[in-house]
């Protein structure tokens, strides 16, 4: 039976996340965005999340799992934390993309290793190193090598745009999932993920990117120089599903970041409506569209777009929780969310005029932050390609 | 808990509606559009689905309970076959469902059994008015109480089956509030005008209707003295149109997709070019997104919750979406899209109606 009623258990955790977002995140959002404070970690928030909140928000805790609908809980928490601030969301000490890859494709020992890391006393992060300077979307073209040498793998190469690389490797005793090719003459089939511990020699963080937004979160260049790791650190063991595993990880990551993006869009709309309210502007619903004022039309259309995008995210989460195929639905919600958050945040600046453009308020920040949703975890174009191939029944050769 | 899974019963209805749409609607829609006449099988075979009797409780002659969700699921399939056929087949809803939602016991007992026989019975409702700035909440057609009667005056347009129906549900402003009145075709002061010429949905007979001091017994006000919840009916109507929009869009999308796979240019299918492939991907995303909004609004109607916002979201979104999808379908077919040998130009004309034609369908 079709239903749009969220479960009570999720709503309760959502309320809790809202309190955190309102009280511990939003008031600090501006500080960590300013150039002077870029790459500073909001440690009070991070410690609070690690020591207190994540126990109650099971979605962030690898040891706990919300029984029936873990992913549905996750998207609701993500959306709410990002409503507070998406930079803070990016700083959450939780398994994140690297952790999902380990959970999805790791051996029992590797999963246990991840769990131990996240039971430590101090906050821990995982990161994922895939992109290189010459390839982003075309990740099967990576050149970082993994050469077997006795009981070890030796990794060499340079990785770009590694989210929380610094926090996982330098600020904590975390983990990095590094993608490398075991045979540069082959493409996708030779690409495998490897686990690199924080203390492992041969990992250098050489540059922290200065970004348009998400400035609380570090995005780094990582150089692997004769980085020697144990043989067993190939993710998923010697029979690793490798590249396909990475793609499966993205299926789940896409709704997750789409949800966060829509948190930013909702933050914009909420504040916009607060300002309209203060100025005595009321939005009329039920009236034919051609009779609405321009501002009513904008607001209602943005609300409709936001709701539609959100429901696509909810649908993808619903499929993931039921272990049903969700590639196309996950890509769809990611495309839609990227587009919606971009448009809503840009419109927010327009409607607020000089106040929207000012760094005294958060509208301009949300516009800068929101843009990332259409860029990372597969650009809007790559996700369109994923969808197009599926609906047309085309291989990657037939539709390039 | 959220769920996106229709019930088993709904799945059976979806599949039956799709079969009907394919067998009876698709091949006949072009001829119907050209001649302006719907095919008799649309109502004959269509009525066998039993959708309306299945929405009416046993005590009024039906065999089920009303569900806006079931209706939108069926409506999408029917409109996927042909939007006009869907409007023809569901026109009886225009009288039956407002009575079911808001009618007095007497009105239910009198009118609902008419729609529970094994033969299609016409239904008609008059909401739209032919002037700029038409607003369902500020109707120019007025009703005023005169002893035991209501007297209606005004001009209506796009009234489906006005000439064929025994009863019209006429919406008019009573003391500034939109209300509905059951007007018999024979009422003095009621005159049915010419067929309305429109851009699309040509096979649905739409008429202009004029009411000149048309007097009806007070008992024929929908809901009696208490009146009706107009917003509920209006929302339900918007949800219906939205569901039809999703169906039309899906038809256009599927057709364009197949065409793009067949059509060769520069040595390969045009669908193998990203400009076409991405266009199709975006169409698919928007259709799915729109459907979510329609479902949520229908779900709220079934929950008895206010659906004003959700119905507006659905109406705005699906109206834009259907137009965008149908337009792109024409674009993908190029010159073939513009000629009437292919159905996409028809879908474009019909799709434009979705965000505009308030009150010609209801779930």
């Amino acid at each position: 039976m079709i239903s749009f009623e969220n479960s009570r258990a999720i709503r309760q955790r959502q309320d809790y996340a809202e309190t955190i977002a309102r009280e511990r995140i939003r008031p600090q959002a501006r500080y960590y965005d300013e150039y002077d404070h870029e790459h500073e970690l909001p440690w009070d928030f991070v410690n609070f999340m690690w020591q207190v909140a994540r126990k109650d928000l099971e979605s962030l805790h690898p040891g706990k799992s919300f029984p029936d609908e873990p992913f549905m809980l996750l998207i609701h928490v993500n959306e709410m934390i990002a409503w507070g601030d998406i930079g803070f969301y990016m700083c959450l000490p939780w398994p994140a993309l690297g952790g999902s890859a380990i959970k999805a494709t790791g051996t029992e020992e590797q999963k246990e290793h991840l769990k131990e890391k996240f039971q430590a006393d101090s906050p821990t992060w995982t990161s994922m190193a895939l992109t290189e300077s010459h390839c982003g979307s075309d990740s099967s073209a990576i050149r970082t090598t993994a050469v077997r040498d006795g009981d070890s793998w030796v990794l060499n190469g340079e990785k770009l745009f590694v989210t929380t690389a610094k926090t996982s490797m330098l600020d904590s005793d975390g983990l990095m999932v590094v993608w490398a090719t075991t045979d540069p003459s082959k493409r996708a089939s030779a690409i495998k993920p490897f686990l690199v511990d924080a203390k492992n020699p041969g990992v250098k963080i050489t540059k922290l990117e200065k970004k348009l937004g998400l400035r609380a979160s570090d995005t780094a260049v990582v150089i692997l120089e004769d980085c020697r790791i144990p043989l067993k650190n190939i993710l998923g063991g010697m029979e690793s599903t490798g590249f396909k595993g990475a793609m499966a990880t993205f299926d789940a990551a896409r709704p997750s970041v789409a949800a966060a993006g829509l948190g930013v869009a909702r933050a914009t709309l909420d504040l916009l409506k607060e300002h309209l309210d203060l100025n005595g502007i009321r939005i009329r619903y039920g009236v034919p569209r051609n009779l609405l004022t321009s501002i009513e039309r904008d607001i209602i259309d943005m609300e409709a777009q936001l709701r539609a995008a959100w429901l696509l995210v909810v649908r993808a989460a619903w499929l993931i929780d039921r272990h049903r195929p969700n590639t196309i639905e996950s890509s769809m919600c990611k495309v839609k969310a990227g587009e919606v958050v971009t448009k809503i945040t840009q419109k927010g600046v327009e409607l607020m005029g000089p106040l929207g453009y000012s760094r005294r308020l958060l509208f301009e920040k949300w516009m800068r932050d929101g843009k990332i949703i259409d860029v990372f975890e597969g650009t809007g174009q790559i996700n369109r390609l994923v969808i197009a191939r599926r609906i047309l029944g085309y291989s990657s050769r037939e539709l390039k | 808990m959220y769920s996106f899974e229709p019930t088993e019963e709904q799945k059976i209805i979806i599949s039956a509606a799709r079969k009907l749409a394919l067998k009876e609607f698709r091949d006949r829609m072009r001829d119907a559009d050209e001649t302006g006449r719907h095919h008799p099988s649309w109502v004959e075979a269509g009525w066998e689905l039993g959708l309306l009797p299945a929405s009416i409780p046993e005590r009024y002659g039906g065999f089920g309970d009303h569900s806006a969700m079931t209706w939108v699921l069926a409506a999408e399939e029917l409109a996927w076959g042909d939007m006009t056929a869907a409007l023809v087949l569901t026109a009886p809803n225009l009288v039956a469902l407002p009575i079911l939602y808001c009618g007095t016991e007497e009105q239910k007992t009198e009118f609902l059994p008419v729609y529970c026989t094994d033969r299609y019975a016409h239904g008609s409702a008059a909401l739209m008015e032919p002037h700029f700035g038409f607003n369902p909440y500020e109707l120019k057609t007025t009703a005023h109480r005169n002893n035991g009667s209501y007297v209606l005056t005004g001009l209506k347009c796009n009234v489906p089956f006005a000439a064929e129906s025994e009863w019209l549900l006429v919406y008019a402003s009573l003391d500034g509030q939109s209300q509905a009145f059951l007007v018999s075709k024979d009422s003095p002061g009621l005159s049915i005008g010419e067929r309305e010429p429109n851009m699309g949905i040509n096979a649905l007979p739409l008429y202009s209707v004029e009411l000149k001091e048309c007097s009806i017994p007070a008992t024929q006000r929908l809901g009696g003295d208490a009146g009706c919840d107009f917003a509920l009916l209006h929302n339900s109507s918007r949800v219906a149109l939205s569901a039809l929009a999703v169906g039309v869009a899906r038809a256009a999308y599927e057709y364009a997709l197949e065409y793009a796979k067949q059509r060769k240019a520069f040595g390969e299918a045009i669908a193998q070019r990203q400009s076409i492939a991405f266009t199709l991907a975006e169409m698919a995303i928007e259709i799915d997104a729109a459907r979510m909004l329609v479902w949520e609004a229908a779900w709220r109607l079934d929950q008895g919750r206010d659906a004003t916002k959700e119905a507006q979201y659905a109406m705005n979104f699906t109206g834009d979406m259907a137009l965008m999808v149908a337009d792109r379908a024409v674009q993908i077919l190029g010159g073939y899209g513009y000629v009437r040998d292919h159905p996409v130009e028809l879908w474009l004309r019909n799709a434009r109606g979705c965000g505009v034609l308030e009150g010609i369908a209801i779930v």
Side-chain angles (χ1 to χ4, degrees):
Chain A
M1 176 117 107
I2 295 168
S3 168
F4 287 80
E5 187 88 71
N6 202 358
S7 79
R8 179 195 286 264
I10 292 179
R11 277 184 284 137
Q12 283 168 348
R13 285 159 181 81
Q14 202 183 6
D15 287 346
Y16 179 50
E18 184 176 0
T19 310
I20 296 170
R22 212 177 271 288
E23 292 172 5
R24 294 179 180 269
I25 302 178
R26 187 66 74 78
Q28 302 191 73
R30 174 55 70 189
Y31 174 91
Y32 289 96
D33 177 70
E34 293 291 309
Y35 289 149
D36 293 348
H37 305 288
E38 191 164 15
H39 305 134
E40 268 180 43
L41 258 181
W43 277 107
D44 56 342
F45 162 74
V46 164
N47 287 326
F48 173 78
M49 293 308 287
W50 186 264
Q51 282 150 14
V52 184
R54 68 186 184 130
K55 290 180 195 69
D56 299 310
L57 299 171
E58 288 101 314
S59 67
L60 307 178
H61 200 292
K64 286 188 172 187
S65 76
F66 187 71
D68 300 328
E69 299 184 285
F71 209 84
M72 190 65 82
L73 172 63
L74 179 77
I75 59 160
H76 282 86
V77 171
N78 286 2
E79 194 268 354
M80 194 58 87
I81 298 292
W83 176 87
D85 184 65
I86 197 171
F88 278 54
Y89 157 79
M90 297 295 294
C91 292
L92 282 171
W94 62 311
L97 192 56
S100 324
I102 297 168
K103 278 196 270 187
T105 61
T107 62
E108 285 311 311
E109 194 189 342
Q110 288 162 346
K111 286 183 203 171
E112 195 53 38
H113 187 53
L114 176 77
K115 213 165 147 184
E116 279 165 21
K117 293 262 181 194
F118 281 87
Q119 277 161 355
D121 292 336
S122 47
T124 306
W125 287 265
T126 45
S127 50
M128 176 130 140
L130 178 62
T131 295
E132 299 180 5
S133 62
H134 69 285
C135 72
S137 299
D138 182 14
S139 42
S140 66
I142 58 174
R143 290 178 192 149
T144 296
T145 53
V147 176
R148 188 172 168 175
D149 180 25
D151 287 342
S152 315
W153 292 101
V154 180
L155 307 178
N156 274 292
E158 187 192 43
K159 292 290 183 184
L160 235 65
F161 302 143
V162 184
T163 300
T164 62
K166 173 177 153 285
T167 36
S168 65
M169 295 282 105
L170 302 181
D171 297 331
S172 73
D173 183 20
L175 273 172
M176 184 180 284
V177 176
V178 174
W179 294 80
T181 176
T182 52
D183 182 353
S185 69
K186 293 179 193 156
R187 280 183 51 112
S189 64
I191 294 172
K192 305 287 177 193
F194 299 88
L195 290 178
V196 180
D197 274 286
K199 293 185 178 111
N200 209 93
V203 185
K204 274 189 210 150
I205 311 290
T206 58
K207 182 187 174 196
L208 298 180
E209 302 288 355
K210 295 172 183 167
K211 305 190 296 291
L212 175 67
L214 302 188
R215 292 186 187 143
S217 157
D218 75 271
T219 307
V221 177
V222 177
I223 291 186
L224 300 145
E225 217 169 57
D226 292 329
C227 173
R228 187 174 289 270
I229 56 170
L231 200 62
K232 63 173 186 183
N233 277 22
I234 182 166
L235 186 59
M238 296 303 277
E239 300 305 310
S240 167
T241 51
F243 195 68
K244 275 192 181 158
M247 294 301 122
T249 309
F250 278 123
D251 283 353
R254 283 168 181 162
S256 176
V257 298
L262 295 178
V264 179
R266 188 167 62 86
T268 304
L269 254 176
D270 283 354
L271 190 59
L272 206 46
K273 285 194 283 183
E274 256 177 54
H275 280 273
L276 293 181
D277 225 32
L278 285 173
N279 287 280
I281 298 168
R282 212 174 54 84
I283 307 297
R284 295 169 297 162
Y285 295 86
V287 174
R289 215 173 173 196
N290 58 342
L291 303 182
L292 295 172
T293 64
S294 167
I295 209 143
E296 286 175 323
R297 230 182 131 119
D298 281 343
I299 295 285
I300 292 172
D301 283 350
M302 284 192 281
E303 285 179 349
Q305 289 290 336
L306 176 59
R307 190 67 195 164
W310 175 245
L311 291 175
L312 287 181
V313 177
V314 170
R315 179 180 68 163
W318 182 79
L319 289 169
I320 291 170
D321 280 334
R322 278 151 194 82
H323 308 289
R324 298 198 195 168
N326 64 289
T327 303
I328 190 165
E329 291 82 0
S330 288
S331 283
M332 277 185 171
C333 78
K334 169 69 167 56
V335 171
K336 189 69 187 163
E339 195 180 283
V340 163
V341 63
T342 302
K343 283 189 184 157
I344 288 181
T345 53
Q346 290 177 356
K347 193 82 188 170
V349 173
E350 179 211 311
L351 293 183
M352 291 300 294
L355 295 176
Y357 201 71
S358 165
R359 295 215 313 272
R360 290 198 178 85
L361 295 179
L362 290 166
F363 292 102
E364 63 82 30
K365 177 181 186 297
W366 288 328
M367 182 187 132
R368 290 183 287 107
D369 286 342
K371 184 59 213 169
I372 193 61
I373 304 300
D374 209 19
V375 175
F376 69 4
E377 306 285 355
T379 59
Q381 287 74 21
I382 282 298
N383 279 297
R384 279 171 175 80
L385 196 58
V386 170
I387 296 162
R389 281 179 189 151
R390 297 259 165 172
I391 59 176
L392 288 159
Y394 282 161
S395 65
S396 52
R397 197 179 302 260
E398 289 165 305
L399 179 60
K400 290 191 182 113
Chain B
M1 203 178 273
Y2 278 104
S3 171
F4 299 95
E5 190 92 61
T7 63
E8 289 310 310
E9 195 190 339
Q10 287 168 337
K11 286 181 190 169
I12 292 168
I13 290 170
I14 291 170
S15 140
R18 186 176 304 166
K19 268 186 210 145
L20 175 81
L22 192 62
K23 186 161 168 270
E24 305 290 345
F25 295 178
R26 268 297 165 92
D27 293 344
R28 292 170 172 148
M29 66 182 179
R30 176 57 75 187
D31 193 45
D33 183 72
E34 301 278 333
T35 60
R37 279 194 303 274
H38 62 271
H39 195 277
S41 80
W42 289 359
V43 293
E44 284 161 17
W47 198 251
E48 285 170 17
L49 286 182
L51 290 172
L52 187 51
S55 304
I56 296 173
E58 257 176 69
R59 62 182 180 283
Y60 306 119
F63 56 88
D65 287 309
H66 171 259
S67 156
M69 181 60 76
T70 302
W71 271 110
V72 300
L73 294 170
E76 177 184 331
E77 297 308 320
L78 297 174
W80 169 81
D82 182 44
M83 179 172 154
T84 313
L87 286 167
V88 167
L89 180 56
T90 61
N93 290 16
L94 294 170
V95 172
L97 294 186
I99 289 175
L100 191 62
Y101 273 122
C102 303
T104 61
E105 194 54 37
E106 290 73 24
Q107 288 164 347
K108 288 180 184 174
T109 311
E110 183 183 352
F111 287 95
L112 294 180
V114 175
Y115 296 103
C116 295
T117 72
D118 51 13
R119 281 182 65 90
Y120 174 91
H122 287 292
S124 177
L127 175 66
M128 278 178 274
E129 299 175 342
H131 60 85
F132 176 77
F134 162 69
N135 182 345
Y137 289 89
E138 290 172 12
L139 296 171
K140 290 198 173 172
T141 299
T142 56
H144 66 265
R145 182 99 188 217
N146 186 3
N147 297 324
S149 311
Y150 284 102
V151 181
L152 308 178
T153 298
L155 197 57
K156 293 290 182 181
C157 67
N158 287 332
V159 185
F161 292 110
E164 291 83 2
S165 293
E166 292 302 311
W167 293 86
L168 279 72
L169 189 66
V170 175
Y171 291 90
S173 177
L174 178 69
D175 302 324
Q177 301 292 317
S178 293
Q179 288 291 300
F181 301 87
L182 286 152
V183 179
S184 156
K185 195 166 71 175
D186 312 319
S187 304
L190 176 84
S191 55
I192 314 285
E194 296 290 301
R195 274 281 292 263
E196 301 270 23
N198 283 311
M199 173 165 68
I201 55 167
N202 289 327
L204 176 71
L206 294 168
Y207 299 87
S208 63
V209 169
E210 192 173 7
L211 301 121
K212 272 188 192 159
E213 301 283 323
C214 176
S215 179
I216 58 162
T219 51
Q220 280 165 221
R221 176 182 175 192
L222 182 66
D225 287 338
C228 69
D229 180 351
F230 176 72
L232 169 67
L233 301 179
H234 182 236
N235 292 340
S236 173
S237 166
R238 290 184 145 193
V239 173
L241 265 180
S242 304
L244 297 173
V246 176
V248 177
R250 215 182 80 214
Y253 156 73
E254 288 175 8
Y255 195 90
L257 186 139
E258 282 312 312
Y259 177 88
K261 287 180 78 171
Q262 303 303 323
R263 175 74 178 178
K264 301 273 191 297
F266 309 106
E268 60 181 10
I270 59 170
Q272 288 177 261
R273 303 286 168 132
Q274 287 191 351
S275 69
I276 301 293
F278 282 17
T279 299
L280 288 163
E282 287 163 5
M283 291 154 78
I285 295 168
E286 293 300 296
I287 291 169
D288 275 20
R291 185 183 297 113
M292 293 290 107
L293 292 180
V294 177
W295 284 11
E296 185 175 38
W299 176 79
R300 284 188 72 92
L301 287 172
D302 284 345
Q303 295 285 308
R305 302 188 200 180
D306 178 53
T308 303
K309 280 188 179 181
E310 288 74 12
Q312 174 120 30
Y313 296 159
M315 176 97 170
N316 287 16
F317 194 106
T318 58
D320 287 351
M321 178 282 296
L323 190 58
M324 178 278 273
V325 169
D327 179 79
R328 287 178 172 202
V330 169
Q331 192 68 25
I332 287 170
L333 268 76
Y336 285 125
Y338 202 74
V339 298
R340 301 216 298 275
D341 294 344
H342 288 275
V344 286
E345 63 76 35
L346 184 152
W347 287 324
L348 176 60
R349 289 185 283 118
N350 288 350
R352 179 62 281 186
C354 296
V356 175
L357 300 170
E358 303 249 21
I360 61 163
I362 189 166
V363 294

